[in-house]
Amino acid sequence: MISLSSSSPYLFPRRRLFSPTFLPLLSQPPPNSAVMRPDVYSNSAIFFRRAVTTISFLAAVVLSCFVLYRAADSVGLKIPTAYYYYYTSRDPNLLSDDFYSDDSRWPDSEEFRLEKVLNDASMEDKTVILTTLNEAWASPNSVVDLFLESFRIGEHTRKLLSHLVIIALDKKAFSRCLDVHTHCYALVTEGVNFSMEAYFMTPVYLNMMWSRINFLQSVLELGFNFVFTDADVMWFRDPFPHFYFDADFQIACDHFSGKSDDVFNRPNGGFKFVRSNNRSIDFYKFWYLSREKYPGLHDQDVLNKIKNDTLIKDIGLKMRFLSTAYFGGFCEPSQDLNEVCTMHANCCFGLDSKLHDLRILLQDWKSYMSLPPRFKESSMGSWRVPQNCSLDALQHFDLPREDEKQKMKNDGKIDKRL
């Protein structure tokens, strides 16, 4: 960046009124001296003309920039104005109340753009790990601390922290992120407050889920692959070896049927790996627009409605479902601690219940990791959870029993429930 200090060589030199250019420094010469005196008025006129020329030049530059800005806006080159995006390098001045209340102070230079923070965190193949965070989950000793701890105590997961971007949904979440992590980014939706705990299926919850889908579409359009993970997903092993190399969109499940291409799987939007290409971008556009066809449903239920739609087949999207053997959760826990990659605190309602069981989950993992290698391989140990997150919560998802599922298949009604 060019410095604009008074000593910068890029600025026009500032001449003093009494510099040698305008008035002589010697005393007045004798009256009959032949020494020519400088024409003060002539030099002042030259200075005035230069000043006018400079001002005219700067005005032309500003006008040109404005015309280019309007032209870019008219062809859709701007990030959608539904959001204010910003990224900061731990500048405490950016955390003041005035910063958040005054839109004019939100930085919009290249340094603060979404692409900048994604580039800083991305792997060589332009893959990033993303999670969202609001105030309710960001307080000390809350979900975000357990989430980051899982990376530190997992097998080969600590290195993945350098590729994690925390998307803060409010001011306090953003401030806390700066205290505990390197790559922090804020996503604020106009007119919506996402700071408090979002209870399942409330209007705030629905807005948060659909804002997330819209944002992830923007990430894909910038050319980045992403692993999206809820912050209540604990990372115990590097999941990348278990992703399907040929899939455009792959997602974890509340219930896994045993086949990765079975549309009867029950997907969970809290963990997915998506590759950036035309197929995935078109799919996210279709997914987001489908909310209007199914009002009152969250993104996960809408996905269940559209996952077998003919449009997805026309797009050519290859969708795969991830096994709960590697990507488990409280709905359907992974049974083998030698294989598990992630565990999700799904099928759980209420922050206190979630925190209670997540702490037990981390303690179970630490106990497993403390075993000698030969005991790990033969270990038949299992999780002590869910406890407060009772499996009775599965009824909230209305998952059918096998006999009910067969009857629904026979009646042709399976898609209405799955």
Side-chain angles (χ1 to χ4, degrees):
M1 180 180 294
I2 295 174
S3 173
L4 298 183
S5 66
S6 59
S7 61
S8 172
Y10 297 96
L11 294 178
F12 291 101
R14 298 176 59 186
R15 294 180 175 177
R16 295 184 178 180
L17 180 61
F18 297 102
S19 70
T21 305
F22 292 91
L23 290 176
L25 296 179
L26 299 174
S27 59
Q28 292 289 339
N32 297 326
S33 172
V35 177
M36 183 180 293
R37 297 183 182 183
D39 186 345
V40 175
Y41 298 102
S42 175
N43 283 313
S44 297
I46 293 172
F47 173 77
F48 178 76
R49 286 198 299 271
R50 289 179 177 175
V52 171
T53 301
T54 301
I55 293 172
S56 301
F57 173 76
L58 293 176
V61 171
V62 171
L63 180 60
S64 300
C65 292
F66 177 75
V67 171
L68 289 173
Y69 172 83
R70 293 301 299 271
D73 188 27
S74 67
V75 296
L77 296 181
K78 292 175 60 181
I79 290 178
T81 56
Y83 300 109
Y84 293 108
Y85 298 122
Y86 61 91
Y87 167 65
T88 184
S89 55
R90 300 181 182 271
D91 183 351
N93 294 326
L94 298 183
L95 300 178
S96 66
D97 291 336
D98 290 340
F99 174 77
Y100 289 91
S101 61
D102 183 3
D103 288 347
S104 65
R105 297 187 62 189
W106 288 53
D108 56 1
S109 65
E110 182 67 28
E111 180 182 358
F112 298 101
R113 292 180 59 185
L114 173 60
E115 191 170 4
K116 172 65 166 62
V117 65
L118 296 177
N119 272 321
D120 288 348
S122 70
M123 304 175 189
E124 291 183 0
D125 64 348
K126 298 197 72 174
T127 297
V128 292
I129 303 170
L130 305 174
T131 193
T132 52
L133 185 67
N134 68 352
E135 178 183 340
W137 284 21
S139 60
N141 300 315
S142 191
V143 175
V144 68
D145 295 288
L146 302 180
F147 176 67
L148 295 176
E149 183 182 359
S150 73
F151 279 85
R152 298 186 186 105
I153 65 176
E155 287 187 353
H156 310 297
T157 51
R158 180 183 287 268
K159 62 184 180 182
L160 298 176
L161 284 172
S162 61
H163 305 298
L164 170 69
V165 178
I166 296 179
I167 311 298
L169 302 178
D170 57 74
K171 179 176 67 172
K172 290 189 177 179
F174 183 67
S175 178
R176 183 76 207 291
C177 178
L178 294 177
D179 291 336
V180 298
H181 191 58
T182 303
H183 304 297
C184 300
Y185 190 81
L187 169 63
V188 178
T189 305
E190 287 185 291
V192 182
N193 179 11
F194 289 149
S195 61
M196 304 305 293
E197 181 178 0
Y199 290 98
F200 186 71
M201 293 307 293
T202 60
V204 172
Y205 175 87
L206 293 175
N207 283 336
M208 186 182 296
M209 295 302 101
W210 286 114
S211 294
R212 186 172 76 183
I213 295 297
N214 198 18
F215 174 75
L216 293 176
Q217 177 187 322
S218 299
V219 174
L220 293 173
E221 289 173 342
L222 287 172
F224 291 89
N225 316 311
F226 65 78
V227 176
F228 179 83
T229 171
D230 279 344
D232 61 346
V233 174
M234 302 294 105
W235 286 54
F236 296 131
R237 284 188 178 88
D238 183 352
F240 285 91
H242 297 283
F243 290 141
Y244 297 95
F245 72 92
D246 58 344
D248 303 308
F249 176 91
Q250 41 199 310
I251 187 168
C253 300
D254 287 335
H255 170 69
F256 183 66
S257 69
K259 297 180 180 180
S260 66
D261 57 354
D262 184 1
V263 294
F264 295 139
N265 284 307
R266 181 80 183 191
N268 185 297
F271 188 90
K272 48 186 170 281
F273 179 35
V274 188
R275 289 187 169 90
S276 175
N277 53 45
N278 290 336
R279 296 182 297 275
S280 62
I281 292 171
D282 288 345
F283 168 66
Y284 263 80
K285 289 178 181 178
F286 174 56
W287 191 0
Y288 185 72
L289 290 174
S290 296
R291 79 195 190 285
E292 299 175 359
K293 184 178 179 180
Y294 302 101
L297 297 185
H298 61 74
D299 60 315
Q300 194 168 296
D301 279 345
V302 171
L303 175 60
N304 275 312
K305 298 286 187 181
I306 67 173
K307 63 189 177 184
N308 203 31
D309 194 280
T310 56
L311 181 60
I312 294 180
K313 295 179 181 178
D314 293 340
I315 292 172
L317 182 86
K318 186 160 188 179
M319 182 183 299
R320 300 292 287 267
F321 300 92
L322 300 170
S323 170
T324 51
Y326 302 108
F327 304 93
F330 293 167
C331 296
E332 195 167 283
S334 173
Q335 298 299 318
D336 190 347
L337 273 66
N338 292 303
E339 298 289 343
V340 63
C341 293
T342 63
M343 279 285 287
H344 188 184
N346 51 11
C347 295
C348 186
F349 304 98
L351 180 57
D352 290 340
S353 295
K354 192 179 292 283
L355 288 171
H356 176 272
D357 281 16
L358 282 175
R359 291 184 180 116
I360 295 174
L361 185 73
L362 287 179
Q363 188 57 54
D364 287 346
W365 177 256
K366 291 177 182 177
S367 298
Y368 163 78
M369 290 296 289
S370 67
L371 294 174
R374 65 180 184 276
F375 290 122
K376 283 183 183 178
E377 294 175 2
S378 60
S379 174
M380 297 299 294
S382 60
W383 308 107
R384 292 178 293 155
V385 291
Q387 293 183 12
N388 289 6
C389 297
S390 172
L391 286 177
D392 292 339
L394 280 170
Q395 297 176 2
H396 187 90
F397 289 86
D398 202 20
L399 289 173
R401 298 190 307 271
E402 289 302 316
D403 57 337
E404 292 176 333
K405 184 184 295 186
Q406 186 60 47
K407 183 177 184 302
M408 291 163 67
K409 287 181 180 179
N410 295 337
D411 295 341
K413 298 179 180 180
I414 189 74
D415 282 337
K416 295 182 179 180
R417 297 287 294 276
L418 288 180

